[in-house]
Amino acid sequence: MQLTKEQIKAIALGALDVTETEGYIRFHRFTAEERTAVINPNLDYPAGVQLICRTDGTSLVLSGRTISKTGVRSYYTFDIYENGSRIGTITNLQDEDAVGSYATQTYPVGDFSASFPLGPGEKELRIVIPHSVLAEISELTITDAAYVLPVARKTRLVAYGDSITQGYDALHPSNTYPMRLAEALGAELFNKGLGGVCFTPAMGAAPSGVQADAVLVAYGTNDWNHFDRDTFTASAAGFFENLVRQYGVTPIYAITPIWRGDHLEKVPPFGPFADLEEVIRTVCQPWPTVQIISGMPLVPHDAACFGDLYLHPNDTGFAAYAAHLLEKIGTL
């Protein structure tokens, strides 16, 4: 059974819409209003999107293409799971080669196609789409399938943030901290992370298209590099005011910036990196639905936990990040 666009849309989690152009299916995670709130090439990247279904098929064929629109990251991986166990990947960077500052190197993108044998009987398939490139599907075939049924999640988690929330530099998209957390909570993830962005009040005001059960917010490390304290404070305050207005009584978890390897080497106009948390705490005081989670303890202060050795966690760093977040949040 080769799935149609509508069938793929029915099993897609984390996508607000699924479209098809010239035979390629694309997943969209932002509303039109969000796309006008910021200008960013990562808007087209399907971070947090996955396809989950129950089926009796005997094999899986997945084909499509990948495009790096930013030029910043070009590695990618599709993770394929059967009944909770990863049975394969489609990737241009093997795990054993992901050493040192692997994430900043250049890797080939373009057409891909692979097939995976499946076990007997009914099983749950899970395909996690890359977060680091634009990934489009031209064929999804489940051989000998009499049925392909969606698998829904009862709760929804929305994650706002910068490149770290988008998933840089997890080798596997299933290992980013928002995806790990959502899976642990049994929630559908809507990843609103975008590489390079800062607190933007217009993004907080833009309708997300999601009735969320919880919201994560993790900005600040880019703001620290670019803005003085007054500008940062005004932008953060405007963002949270708009976000609280949008989500009402929904819990919002504001994660202050995690450790970065150069935070003691420079003092930009904002001032010391350590002051970010204090400012965010002060900004969020008027909003009882906002809970502050200190970011510095979440990821080990060790370059070996970062894909670029100083800023973006790798799979090991993200595992620690998600585990510590889960301790703070508990359940939805």
Side-chain angles (χ1 to χ4, degrees):
M1 177 190 298
Q2 181 168 346
L3 275 64
T4 65
K5 185 202 78 171
E6 292 304 317
Q7 289 174 311
I8 292 174
K9 184 176 182 178
I11 65 172
L13 300 184
L16 298 177
D17 195 13
V18 177
T19 60
E20 184 174 8
T21 304
E22 297 179 347
Y24 287 96
I25 293 171
R26 182 179 294 192
F27 305 95
H28 305 273
R29 58 189 173 110
F30 294 99
T31 63
E33 293 87 348
E34 288 174 326
R35 294 183 69 89
T36 61
V38 294
I39 305 299
N40 190 293
N42 292 275
L43 286 164
D44 290 328
Y45 289 14
V49 175
Q50 51 186 336
L51 309 177
I52 304 181
C53 66
R54 289 188 293 113
T55 184
D56 60 346
T58 59
S59 66
L60 168 71
V61 177
L62 183 64
S63 304
R65 66 181 178 185
T66 58
I67 302 168
S68 178
K69 299 185 70 174
T70 64
V72 177
R73 297 293 190 275
S74 56
Y75 75 92
Y76 71 85
T77 302
F78 289 79
D79 288 329
I80 316 297
Y81 288 83
E82 180 179 353
N83 293 331
S85 297
R86 193 170 70 212
I87 62 170
T89 62
I90 302 173
T91 184
N92 61 356
L93 173 59
Q94 301 299 323
D95 287 36
E96 58 269 23
D97 297 324
V99 295
S101 57
Y102 65 86
T104 58
Q105 300 175 33
T106 300
Y107 302 93
V109 294
D111 295 339
F112 66 84
S113 184
S115 60
F116 305 89
L118 304 175
E122 181 174 282
K123 72 278 297 176
E124 180 177 291
L125 289 183
R126 177 180 173 225
I127 303 170
V128 189
I129 310 298
H131 61 283
S132 49
V133 295
L134 170 58
E136 299 175 317
I137 291 175
S138 58
E139 179 187 358
L140 175 54
T141 296
I142 303 177
T143 307
D144 301 324
Y147 58 89
V148 175
L149 302 175
V151 176
R153 300 285 172 86
K154 294 182 179 180
T155 55
R156 291 181 164 190
L157 176 68
V158 178
Y160 292 89
D162 49 36
S163 53
I164 298 170
T165 297
Q166 184 179 328
Y168 292 11
D169 282 316
L171 176 60
H172 294 271
S174 50
N175 286 341
T176 70
Y177 87 82
M179 183 64 78
R180 281 181 175 271
L181 181 64
E183 289 302 297
L185 294 171
E188 180 175 5
L189 171 65
F190 291 85
N191 190 326
K192 306 288 187 177
L194 286 168
V197 298
C198 304
F199 278 110
T200 305
M203 182 58 113
S208 69
V210 183
Q211 294 292 323
D213 295 282
V215 177
L216 304 179
V217 177
Y219 297 108
T221 198
N222 291 326
D223 307 68
W224 177 68
N225 258 336
H226 298 302
F227 303 122
D228 60 35
R229 187 169 302 213
D230 288 344
T231 302
F232 173 86
T233 302
S235 297
F239 176 86
F240 280 109
E241 179 178 2
N242 290 339
L243 201 71
V244 170
R245 184 179 295 115
Q246 175 175 179
Y247 286 101
V249 299
T250 300
I252 297 172
Y253 299 93
I255 307 165
T256 63
I258 65 172
W259 177 85
R260 53 184 293 163
D262 62 351
H263 77 99
L264 296 177
E265 298 175 4
K266 56 184 178 181
V267 181
F270 173 88
F273 187 76
D275 291 356
L276 285 167
E277 180 167 330
E278 178 186 353
V279 174
I280 292 173
R281 285 185 179 275
T282 300
V283 160
C284 292
Q285 280 182 348
W287 315 113
T289 58
V290 181
Q291 176 181 327
I292 304 297
I293 297 178
S294 181
M296 285 296 274
L298 298 181
V299 182
H301 301 182
D302 183 348
C305 291
F306 292 79
D308 53 10
L309 304 181
Y310 84 104
L311 181 61
H312 299 94
N314 55 23
D315 288 8
T316 301
F318 275 133
Y321 195 155
H324 289 135
L325 269 187
L326 184 61
E327 292 175 358
K328 299 291 184 182
I329 294 174
T331 60
L332 296 185

